[in-house]
């Protein structure tokens, strides 16, 4: 695959086209400057913004937009910290009023130590947001049945968790993830649970359209270097997926022909 065809390998969500398949968060960094440097090192075009946790409006305090520039990155407001559909809808309506954002990420968490998505509330909130004119990328469990329900309800993208948020355990259920990718007609992004570069590679080799991560970069000993590693991992995994891997075999297959040996 030559460089020109690689440059054309884009993906599209809600009518917006991107080249980078790595989305990064805006939380857990030591400061906004490090966050911005990591986003640049990752080559990201989209950053998620937890509206309940990031300062977007108080100029007396450090502001995210002074470092992670809205004219450089597409901001994807999310509902991190919301545990009911009403909380999520209210939060995103405020985001639209404040910044004009209508492409958003919905997450409604269960109020438990594992913070896995509450899928019943998520689906209910999605329907409310769709009816209100939002374009919604949806964080969800790795359940193919619920993923299909979300898509049928109008989700712009399906974002199954690889593992619990911030756990760094990598993809725990490749089978379900593969089923979701196979059935979906909208983009599928692994969201949450990635810990290191090999996790991102696996997600892309399975056929995900993109990978979203925050803690894996922010809590690395060297976040900027990890951001670069993740950039390369996502590219490598995507290239391997497009190349089409060799078949797995039970027995050896000699690299050179065995006939005509001296």
């Amino acid at each position: 695959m030559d460089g020109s065809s690689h440059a054309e390998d884009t993906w599209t969500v809600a009518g917006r086209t991107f080249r980078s398949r790595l989305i990064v968060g805006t939380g857990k960094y030591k400061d906004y400057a490090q966050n911005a440097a990591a986003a640049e090192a990752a080559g990201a075009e989209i950053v998620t913004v937890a509206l309940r946790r990031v300062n977007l409006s108080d100029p007396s305090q450090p502001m995210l937009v002074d470092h992670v520039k809205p004219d450089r990155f597409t901001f994807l407001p999310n509902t991190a910290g919301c545990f009911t559909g009403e909380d999520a809808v209210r939060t995103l309506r405020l985001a639209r009023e404040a910044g004009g954002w209508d492409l958003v990420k919905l997450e409604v968490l269960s109020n438990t130590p594992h913070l896995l998505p509450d899928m019943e509330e998520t689906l209910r909130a999605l329907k409310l947001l769709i009816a209100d004119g939002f374009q919604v990328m949806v964080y969800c469990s790795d359940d193919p049945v619920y993923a299909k329900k979300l898509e049928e309800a109008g989700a712009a993208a399906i974002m199954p968790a690889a593992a619990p948020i911030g756990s760094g355990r990598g993809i725990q259920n490749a089978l379900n993830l593969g089923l979701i990718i196979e059935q979906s007609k909208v983009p599928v992004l692994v969201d949450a649970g990635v810990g290191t570069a090999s996790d991102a590679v696996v997600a892309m080799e399975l056929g995900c359209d993109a990978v979203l991560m925050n803690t894996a970069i922010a809590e690395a000993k060297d976040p900027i270097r990890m951001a670069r590693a993740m950039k390369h991992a996502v590219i490598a995994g995507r290239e391997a997926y497009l190349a089409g891997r060799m078949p797995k075999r039970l027995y050896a297959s000699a690299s050179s022909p065995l006939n005509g040996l001296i």
Side-chain angles (χ1 to χ4, degrees):
M1 189 169 178
D2 64 28
S4 61
S5 57
H6 177 80
E8 295 163 4
D9 179 37
T10 59
W11 67 288
T12 301
V13 59
R16 305 173 200 210
T17 300
F18 301 96
R19 288 185 173 174
S20 172
R21 294 175 181 270
L22 177 56
I23 300 172
V24 299
T26 51
K28 300 187 177 180
Y29 291 90
K30 72 175 185 179
D31 53 37
Y32 290 147
Q34 186 188 64
N35 196 159
E40 289 288 354
E45 293 174 293
I46 305 174
V47 295
T48 61
V49 180
L51 294 163
R52 290 186 152 198
R53 297 173 182 157
V54 168
N55 178 30
L56 294 170
S57 58
D58 182 0
S60 69
Q61 301 294 323
M63 291 180 65
L64 176 69
V65 293
D66 290 337
H67 299 273
V68 182
K69 304 285 189 180
D71 58 353
R72 162 68 179 86
F73 298 97
T74 295
F75 276 33
L76 181 66
N78 71 38
T79 56
C82 292
F83 298 99
T84 69
E86 281 74 19
D87 281 348
V89 171
R90 188 183 313 112
T91 299
L92 292 177
R93 283 176 176 159
L94 288 171
R96 185 166 60 184
E97 290 173 16
W101 296 300
D102 62 349
L103 176 62
V104 297
K105 176 190 163 186
L106 172 65
E107 55 183 275
V108 184
L109 305 179
S110 57
N111 199 359
T112 60
H114 53 65
L115 292 177
L116 289 171
D118 181 331
M119 291 311 303
E120 185 176 5
E121 282 290 286
T122 298
L123 181 58
R124 190 170 67 85
L126 171 64
K127 291 176 180 178
L128 292 171
L129 290 166
I130 295 292
D132 205 13
F134 285 94
Q135 300 180 91
V136 191
M137 301 170 70
V138 187
Y139 175 60
C140 59
S141 63
D142 59 1
D143 178 354
V145 177
Y146 252 115
K148 176 56 72 176
K149 289 182 179 184
L150 294 171
E151 184 173 351
E152 290 172 348
I158 306 298
M159 307 175 76
I165 292 171
S167 68
R169 300 193 65 87
I171 293 169
Q172 298 297 293
N173 195 335
L175 173 62
N176 275 20
L177 190 54
L179 292 172
I180 292 170
I181 292 166
E182 182 181 88
Q183 75 185 10
S184 300
K185 295 180 175 61
V186 297
V188 176
L189 297 79
V190 155
D191 179 2
V194 168
T196 190
S198 56
D199 300 330
V201 172
V202 170
M204 297 307 297
E205 287 179 345
L206 285 169
C208 286
D209 292 279
V211 178
L212 191 155
M213 64 184 73
N214 185 58
T215 311
I217 296 175
E219 290 191 358
K221 291 180 180 178
D222 184 339
I224 310 307
R225 176 166 277 184
M226 184 60 83
R228 285 199 303 270
M230 291 299 189
K231 174 182 178 179
H232 294 303
V234 167
I235 292 170
R238 177 66 179 172
E239 291 281 82
Y241 171 74
L242 292 176
R245 64 156 292 144
M246 61 165 283
K248 294 182 179 180
R249 302 185 178 98
L250 184 59
Y251 299 109
S253 175
S255 296
S256 302
L258 295 176
N259 58 331
L261 295 179
I262 295 174

